[in-house]
Amino acid sequence: MTQNLSSSALVHPQVKDANAEADIPSGYGKTESFLLPKDPAWLFLFWEITSSTLECVRSQYGQETLEKARTIIRLHDVTDVALFDGTNSVRFYDMPVIFEARSWYINAPESGRTYLADLGYLTEDGRFILITRSNITSVPSGRISNVVDDKWMIVEGDFQKLLQLSGADYIGLGSSERMQVLGERWKLTELTNSGAPSSWSSFKLHLDSVKTEEDEDIWLKADCEIIIYGSASKNAVVTINGQEIELKEGKFSIRQHLPTGSVVDLPIKARNAKGDKTRQVTIKALREQGK
Amino acid sequence: MGEEKGYLALVLHAHLPFIKHPEYPDFLEEDWFYEAMVETYIPLLNVFENLTEEGTDFRLTMTLTPPLCNMMEDPLLIERFRHYLNQRVELSQKELNRTQGTEFEGVARMYFNKFRRYQDLFEHRYHGHVLQGFKKFQDMGKLEIITCCATHGYLPLMVHKESVNAQIKIAANDYRSRFGRSPRGIWLAECAYNPGDDKFLRDEGIRFFFTESHGILHGTPRPKYGIYAPVYCPQTGVAAFARDMESAQQVWSAEAGYPGDARYREFYRDLGYDLDYDYIKPYLHSDGVRRNIGMKYHKITGKVALNQKQAYDPYAAREVAAQHAGNFMFNRQKQIEYLSTVIDRKPLVVSMYDAELYGHWWYEGIDFLEYLFKKIYYDQKDIKLITPSEYLEMYPENQAVQPSMSSWGDKGYHDVWLNSGNDWIYRHLIKSAERMMELANKFPHADGLLRRALNQLARELVLMQSSDWAFLMTTGTAKEYSTKRTKDHVKRFNELYEQIQGNRINEGYVYDLEQKDSIFQQIDYNVYSSAAKEAVLKKY
């Protein structure tokens, strides 16, 4: 899961949003998961795991095995696999996750491929215990096809010219202006300030175009995301960098991208309900790029 | 084929989410519809009427989305719009006296004349039914009206193909009931295309759709003509036309685009804030809060504060619109001339815009279009306006290319509709779709109250699926309303679902929802059956 990561910063939806899901069901009482495409590099997985499912797995495999196991997403590349039987994927990628997060943005290791995601336990001795399997979905390639058409021959020079004329340089650009204008259109009736949490606003959703530098003698690409997770006592108020985080059954998790040349200093604080006791853990990370 | 060197297809996408609140005597967000009616939709019809009267031939492709059609034909909204329009006429008449002898005399006269003309068209030419106007120009062959996903649902984020099938079938049926024939084309909401969804279009006889430029540029195999000719989806033969970015930028670009000209009308300086409170109060909403009322007397002027804006001169602004139309045409002539040296057939440039850009946002955009139609018809022979249907008739042979997944949203894919600010909705959208399918499969032949409940369940689902809610959550404007709408439909859906499952349907509850969420009177919940989806997939 380290190659081909593009610079995208994603904040987990668990960051408290007063508007979201206050008075509609938080779940539907069924263990299942769904996988959605976001762009050539990202997928979105969300799931529900019921307590009876967990109970069932516990009684089958034993409390001890599960306590030593890691909970993971196993992303299977099932491109051109006619019928997936749980083992015959082209390859798979494991990534740690906590079940309570209930949703996760997954970096697609390769664009233009077809994926499905399994959620489950990876035991100490390497066995995978499946909890739920998602639907199958594809992410777009995000580039010009290599396939040429015999019937509709193209002169290479003309095609390059045509690509430029067709606005290949504009792909994915320009539409933001349209969005701003359209957004303004609705503004007239807005009564209250939407009050976006300011400390998170610097984490703009931004996706660099994925460019290869294969012509160079040596190249290196590396990227980093930090997953901060933990738990706190019941009724505690937890903040990360001053931003309040919603606890789900006493646990929390957020995910954050670490841009080049940045230092991240993330104080995590917990305060009890009365407000007279606090605990703090600070996580620091530094990303440097050498010459 | 004549002597022209190539073609221009102008496409306007007219859409608003279904907003109707009979439970309130006065509802803020309904204004979006009334404003668009008086600033865009009726002014466009007025242009069509003028052009036809003076013998100027034109071609335009327009989406009228199903929610918009439903609102245009809704008796309550028609009545409320009538009131809105009457009030504009009344206020603009008062303004003639107030502004007499001032620098605002000309602009006040402009509003009065326009509002009266639009009222005359609305009441006496179309008898309250503007769709009749649009249909008239379609029947004359000048306007090609295309449909859209039933509620502007965002297809690539629908896991169940039953949902995709239903969005297309409900839309096509609605179109037939209004325009007396099947739709030949569709605007996929947000131009969001997912490979394979063309099967559901084909099944409704839809021959073409539109994509963002990279929908075709990233297609497989490489498209011989780039985006300057349509391609056929390999399995279905449905044509995809892609957006030309050069002409898009000319209009959209905040810096270089036409709408930013200093002589054009300033959007943010509005009489709702400028006039004496007691004088303007009758034209505000019942809460008496000052808001925009759609009458603006100032021009953009330049980068100055709102209170430094100068008086608007309608004649000067119209002149600028004419110049910009000339410039736009000139650029298309040059573009097409150059393209025709690169490709071995007459190039087609597809210029796609939101209809509400014209008139509502860019006030003089309507004049721009009128001048553009005239100039293309009278002043040159290099380019010709064309509709996609006409083009396909002329060039029935096109390359088979599988378009790539894409949208015209920011960054080109699904980010706008799927990000940390709105991703929570998909849990409910997808689960509700699954429950809808479950009940459609369980009750293939429902009648009476059960049938009504199932049909209403389908309405709640499609309304929940409007991509507008996720969009507004992302832009941050009207976030509260869009969040509430999503939740309301989820709650209503779940309540109805429980009632149906528990065999305890409350007729009063169903009736209440039928009044509020009254879109698609003719909806048939059976479109959600898995058999209906399988029937389509078996064919292609």
Side-chain angles (χ1 to χ4, degrees), chain A residues 185-197:
Chain A
R185 183 173 123 202
W186 312 102
K187 213 174 185 173
L188 315 176
T189 48
E190 207 189 30
L191 280 171
T192 53
N193 189 338
S194 68

Side-chain angles (χ1 to χ4, degrees), chain A residues 11 13 17 19-26 28 30 32 34-40 44 46-48 102 105 135 138 140-149 152-154 156 158-159 161-163 165-168 170-179 181-192 194 205-207, chain B residues 15-17 28 32 35 157 159 190 212 214 217-228 243 245 249 252-254 267-268 291-292 338-339 342-343 354 356 360-361 397-399 404-405 408-416 418-420 423-424 426-428 430-431 434-435 471-472 476-478 480 483 487 490-491 494:
Chain A
V11 176
D17 182 347
N19 284 323
E21 299 187 79
D23 40 7
I24 49 176
S26 62
Y28 290 85
K30 193 175 161 193
E32 58 188 348
F34 294 99
L35 186 63
L36 298 175
K38 183 177 163 71
D39 59 39
F44 177 64
F46 67 89
W47 63 87
E48 179 174 358
R102 303 182 81 230
Y105 285 95
N135 57 298
S138 298
S141 75
R143 57 175 169 258
I144 311 284
S145 171
N146 292 324
V147 183
V148 274
D149 196 334
W152 299 76
M153 290 292 282
I154 306 174
E156 184 60 28
D158 282 354
F159 187 68
K161 221 188 277 180
L162 201 53
L163 271 182
L165 293 170
S166 296
Y170 282 116
I171 288 171
L173 296 174
S175 306
S176 63
E177 279 170 339
R178 184 189 149 263
M179 191 176 113
V181 169
L182 282 191
E184 289 290 334
R185 183 173 123 202
W186 312 102
K187 213 174 185 173
L188 315 176
T189 48
E190 207 189 30
L191 280 171
T192 53
S194 68
L205 300 179
H206 176 77
L207 188 74
Chain B
H15 166 65
L16 284 174
L28 217 51
W32 294 341
E35 286 168 2
L157 296 177
V159 166
E190 310 298 356
E212 179 57 293
H214 59 293
L217 289 183
H218 290 176
T220 311
R222 287 186 180 185
K224 178 176 169 71
Y225 297 122
I227 57 163
Y228 298 107
R243 178 160 85 135
M245 289 306 288
Q249 285 295 100
W252 275 120
S253 166
F267 185 83
Y268 292 104
R291 290 189 189 87
N292 288 0
Y338 184 65
L339 282 169
V342 183
I343 63 179
D354 292 275
E356 296 79 12
H360 176 65
W361 181 256
E397 209 173 309
N398 291 292
Q399 190 183 3
S404 166
M405 181 189 275
W408 81 338
D410 192 22
K411 302 186 188 79
Y413 299 95
H414 315 318
D415 295 50
V416 173
L418 177 65
N419 57 63
S420 57
D423 57 20
W424 60 271
Y426 294 99
R427 187 180 300 277
H428 306 287
I430 289 169
K431 201 63 199 171
E434 195 177 272
R435 290 181 154 190
F471 176 83
L472 292 171
T477 48
E480 253 178 73
T483 303
K487 288 184 179 178
V490 171
K491 276 188 278 189
N494 284 333

Side-chain angles (χ1 to χ4, degrees), chain B residues 452-520:
Chain B
R452 277 173 58 196
L454 286 164
N455 284 339
Q456 192 57 37
L457 197 68
R459 288 187 193 100
E460 299 302 331
L461 174 58
V462 287
L463 287 172
M464 190 193 308
Q465 287 173 330
S466 304
S467 69
D468 309 88
W469 312 140
F471 176 83
L472 292 171
M473 288 175 203
T474 298
T475 62
T477 48
K479 187 180 175 192
E480 253 178 73
Y481 181 75
S482 53
T483 303
K484 182 164 163 31
R485 278 296 298 269
T486 303
K487 288 184 179 178
D488 281 350
H489 294 302
V490 171
K491 276 188 278 189
R492 290 167 192 173
F493 183 96
N494 284 333
E495 174 59 31
L496 259 184
Y497 173 83
E498 298 298 338
Q499 287 187 14
I500 295 167
Q501 282 291 49
N503 198 17
R504 48 173 179 84
I505 302 171
N506 178 338
E507 186 175 3
Y509 186 70
V510 175
Y511 176 82
D512 184 49
L513 293 186
E514 284 171 341
Q515 307 310 307
K516 277 185 201 152
D517 299 327
S518 62
I519 196 168
F520 303 126

Side-chain angles (χ1 to χ4, degrees), chain A residues 193-208:
Chain A
N193 189 338
S194 68
S198 57
S199 56
W200 296 102
S201 62
S202 59
F203 300 128
K204 294 245 173 64
L205 300 179
H206 176 77
L207 188 74
D208 284 345

Side-chain angles (χ1 to χ4, degrees), chain A residues 40-104:
Chain A
W42 290 94
L43 294 149
F44 177 64
L45 179 73
F46 67 89
W47 63 87
E48 179 174 358
I49 299 172
T50 64
S51 48
S52 65
T53 298
L54 290 177
E55 196 56 50
C56 191
V57 174
R58 210 171 293 141
S59 65
Q60 199 179 337
Y61 295 93
Q63 178 76 15
E64 206 194 322
T65 311
L66 296 189
E67 265 173 16
K68 286 180 184 160
R70 290 196 300 151
T71 51
I72 62 163
I73 294 171
R74 177 163 284 184
L75 184 72
H76 287 280
D77 180 336
V78 292
T79 310
D80 298 327
V81 174
L83 194 68
F84 179 61
D85 61 9
T87 59
N88 60 341
S89 57
V90 181
R91 58 183 75 84
F92 65 79
Y93 311 86
D94 288 350
M95 59 210 87
V97 73
I98 59 168
F99 288 165
E100 290 81 0
R102 303 182 81 230
S103 66
W104 208 252

Side-chain angles (χ1 to χ4, degrees), chain A residues 95-98 104 225-229 253-256 283:
Chain A
M95 59 210 87
V97 73
I98 59 168
W104 208 252
E225 280 172 63
I226 302 175
I227 295 164
I228 300 156
Y229 62 99
S253 96
I254 72 152
R255 174 176 178 173
Q256 192 192 314
I283 292 174

